[in-house]
């Protein structure tokens, strides 16, 4: 894609009508990655200009906590 994906929006059509979450992972040509969780309530995200390892770790940490703890605790 000319200009790359940075700054563009990625969306999952029809996700808002489901009860499913989607984990999006993009690996850039320079080897960095960007990971984002899309949910029915937020079915789109803007791909950042720069990827942050801390943000990626945060996505996985939140998924892990939600997996281990019942939804009513968090």
């Amino acid at each position: 894609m000319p200009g790359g994906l940075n700054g563009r929006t990625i969306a999952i059509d029809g996700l808002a009508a489901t009860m499913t979450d989607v984990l999006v992972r993009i690996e850039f040509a320079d080897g960095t990655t960007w990971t984002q969780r899309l949910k029915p309530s937020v079915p789109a995200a803007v791909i950042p200009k720069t990827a942050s390892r801390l943000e990626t770790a945060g996505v996985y940490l939140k998924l892990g906590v939600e997996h281990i703890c019942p939804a009513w605790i968090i």
Side-chain angles (χ1 to χ4, degrees):
M1 175 173 274
L5 296 174
N6 303 83
R8 297 185 185 256
T9 299
I10 187 166
I12 306 296
D13 289 337
L15 185 62
T18 71
M19 293 177 31
T20 303
D21 293 357
V22 174
L23 192 62
V24 176
R25 181 178 184 272
I26 296 174
E27 184 171 344
F28 297 99
D30 66 1
T32 60
T33 61
W34 174 74
T35 304
Q36 183 66 41
R37 177 183 179 192
L38 302 181
K39 304 184 288 185
S41 61
V42 185
V46 176
I47 301 167
K49 298 285 184 188
T50 58
S52 164
R53 288 184 181 184
L54 184 59
E55 290 174 340
T56 300
V59 169
Y60 284 108
L61 177 65
K62 184 173 181 184
L63 285 171
V65 169
E66 289 176 0
H67 176 74
I68 294 168
C69 298
W72 53 269
I73 293 178
I74 51 177

